[in-house]
Amino acid sequence: MPSTVLAAGMATAIGSLPHRDAAAASALVLRCLPELPAAPQLPNRTVREGVLAQWLGGVDGVRVADDGVIALDHRLDLDAAICTELHADRHAGLLAFVDATSALPRPPARVKAQVTGPLTLGVALARAGVPENEAFAFGAAVSRSWAAAVQRLFAARIPGVALVLFFDEPALVLWRAEDPPFERELATDLLSGTLASSSCVTGVHVCGRGDLRLALDAGPDVVQVDVDVVVPEDALALSRFLDGDGWIAWGAVPTHGPIGEHPTPLWKAMLELWCELTRRGCDPVQLRTHALVTPACGLAGHGPSQAERAMLLARELGNRVHDQAAATKLSIGA
């Protein structure tokens, strides 16, 4: 399914934008990322649109403080139905994006959205005081429920659009530590089950130095990872993933500092990584033909003009990937 939805070099965005105006943020992504526009998250508009609050804020018994911290008002009823009503306070970016996209004379063929993944929600609930086993089971239920709600939203409002749904997992950094919250195999199964519950193309955002191999093992259609954190030792896992028709969304535009002006150094860094991965066993054709391009992470810490520049740089790099992928196919007679 992903190869019928995605194409080499498509650019999209990951996570947040700095805007406080949801309509302006939606217009920007539709203009800058026309092939795979991304529904924006706007934590600067309100803390209730943050990575945790946006999806846990509607759970009975969970309270979001003014600083965005998650707390419990009472013991959670783990058997209670999870309310997935999309609320203008917590989902303004998503709702404005759907409004803007559905109003276009010719909506894009595919769009990208994201919800927070089960591991990150489970960690947040455990830190708020929910017993660990219950926290991760409930976090998975919340993530699956919201994923289904987002799929229903797009199916109802933009019939025929192909949805690429990412699960944002900043908590994956904990599985690279010496003492992760629980066994890696169990974490992989939890994430895998959540991905399998979705009927659309799925992705996992590996934030920063998260456990890339855990994300790959969970079996998404796409894994997004920062170019700067991939190491040669990841080559075998990446090769197996690509062999299984997996796609890599390369976070090729750094977001941890000022956004640069020129794509050439970023393109060179990505090519150097691909060359090293090829030396370690990755197929150079697959690296190019199964590649998307994104900013490395969310852009809420930058100004609107810098966020726009980051997306345009991703699009420029994506055009170069597309050209190389086409040339590679021609050279082997595809």
Side-chain angles (χ1 to χ4, degrees):
M1 180 169 61
S3 292
T4 65
V5 173
L6 305 175
M10 283 182 174
T12 191
I14 294 296
S16 57
L17 289 179
H19 300 68
R20 290 177 169 82
D21 183 325
S26 299
L28 183 66
V29 294
L30 286 166
R31 178 169 59 82
C32 293
L33 305 169
E35 290 189 299
L36 188 54
Q41 293 175 292
L42 307 175
N44 292 346
R45 188 188 68 85
T46 170
V47 296
R48 288 167 177 77
E49 203 163 339
V51 67
L52 297 175
Q54 188 172 32
W55 312 107
L56 288 175
V59 174
D60 183 34
V62 174
R63 173 169 42 86
V64 180
D66 290 342
D67 59 0
V69 172
I70 300 297
L72 300 183
D73 284 332
H74 55 76
R75 184 177 177 85
L76 296 183
D77 180 358
L78 303 180
D79 296 321
I82 297 168
C83 177
T84 54
E85 180 182 357
L86 290 157
H87 195 281
D89 186 32
R90 296 194 306 275
H91 304 101
L94 174 62
L95 293 172
F97 176 80
V98 170
D99 287 344
T101 305
S102 63
L104 293 173
R106 294 184 62 183
R110 61 199 67 80
V111 295
K112 179 258 177 191
Q114 72 183 49
V115 301
T116 301
L119 302 180
T120 299
L121 294 180
V123 167
L125 290 167
R127 288 176 174 174
V130 180
E132 189 172 276
N133 289 342
E134 296 179 357
F136 284 96
F138 192 65
V142 172
S143 188
R144 289 195 302 268
S145 296
W146 277 114
V150 172
Q151 290 174 84
R152 290 193 300 269
L153 172 69
F154 280 96
R157 293 291 309 280
I158 319 174
V161 73
L163 176 62
V164 181
L165 184 63
F166 270 71
F167 291 83
D168 190 10
E169 286 288 18
L172 281 172
V173 296
L174 300 176
W175 274 268
R176 293 192 65 170
E178 293 183 359
D179 186 24
F182 60 92
E183 292 182 10
R184 188 178 182 280
E185 291 75 11
L186 294 176
T188 303
D189 289 345
L190 192 69
L191 180 54
S192 179
T194 303
L195 293 166
S197 71
S198 296
S199 58
C200 59
V201 174
T202 59
V204 174
H205 170 211
V206 182
C207 188
R209 297 188 178 276
D211 192 328
L212 171 61
R213 296 179 207 183
L214 191 159
L216 295 170
D217 289 344
D221 298 306
V222 189
V223 165
Q224 192 275 348
V225 63
D226 186 347
V227 166
D228 288 346
V229 304
V230 176
V231 295
E233 290 74 22
D234 292 325
L236 179 59
L238 288 169
S239 179
R240 289 173 176 168
F241 183 69
L242 291 167
D243 284 343
D245 198 30
W247 288 66
I248 309 295
W250 299 97
V253 182
T255 55
H256 52 268
I259 305 298
E261 293 293 325
H262 303 290
T264 300
L266 308 178
W267 177 240
K268 180 181 178 182
M270 190 157 62
L271 287 181
E272 288 176 348
L273 174 61
W274 285 356
C275 287
E276 182 58 34
L277 292 174
T278 298
R279 285 193 289 269
R280 297 292 187 110
C282 285
D283 184 330
V285 176
Q286 291 177 339
L287 283 171
R288 289 158 175 80
T289 58
H290 283 62
L292 309 178
V293 181
T294 72
C297 200
L299 293 160
H302 297 273
S305 62
Q306 286 187 308
E308 178 178 4
R309 183 61 187 158
M311 288 188 284
L312 291 175
L313 282 169
R315 186 175 173 188
E316 170 62 26
L317 294 172
N319 290 338
R320 297 188 186 194
V321 171
H322 177 271
D323 291 345
Q324 274 214 356
T328 301
K329 286 183 177 180
L330 287 172
S331 70
I332 61 174

